Amino acid sequence: DKTVEKLVTLEVTRSNNELTRLRERLEAYERQYNMTSEDFYTKFRSGELGDAMDFVEWSVFWDMHESTQERLNELGE
């Protein structure tokens, strides 16, 4: 039981660190383009913003953020 607990704790720590890095990147785009990542993603997915490299990268970071947050939720964090 202790081994599983340690592994979960390690994964939570790793995921939280990743989430922090992703949030920093997302916040940089949010400041640059003056919109939230949620608003951006909705507009990007509907085709309103085009496919500039910044937007593609922003969408990848958002996907990674959401995936990491989901993983943390599954781990009970």
Side-chain angles (χ1 to χ4, degrees):
D1 286 342
K2 290 285 186 187
T3 301
V4 172
E5 188 177 309
K6 284 183 181 181
L7 288 173
V8 169
T9 300
L10 210 67
E11 180 60 20
V12 166
T13 299
R14 190 189 68 74
S15 294
N16 277 321
N17 289 339
E18 182 177 346
L19 205 56
T20 298
R21 286 189 300 274
L22 290 166
R23 283 184 179 143
E24 289 171 358
R25 289 181 176 245
L26 291 171
E27 288 169 1
Y29 282 114
E30 289 173 351
R31 283 189 303 274
Q32 181 177 351
Y33 292 100
N34 197 31
M35 77 175 87
T36 67
S37 290
E38 294 91 346
D39 288 343
F40 154 76
Y41 196 74
T42 299
K43 291 177 181 182
F44 180 74
R45 297 293 290 171
S46 71
E48 292 179 46
L49 298 176
D51 60 354
M53 185 54 72
D54 271 2
F55 295 153
V56 173
E57 288 178 358
W58 193 357
S59 73
V60 169
F61 290 135
W62 179 252
D63 286 337
M64 291 169 63
H65 174 274
E66 292 299 282
S67 172
T68 303
Q69 186 62 59
E70 184 177 317
R71 185 170 55 242
L72 280 168
N73 292 343
E74 290 170 358
L75 293 169
E77 293 298 310

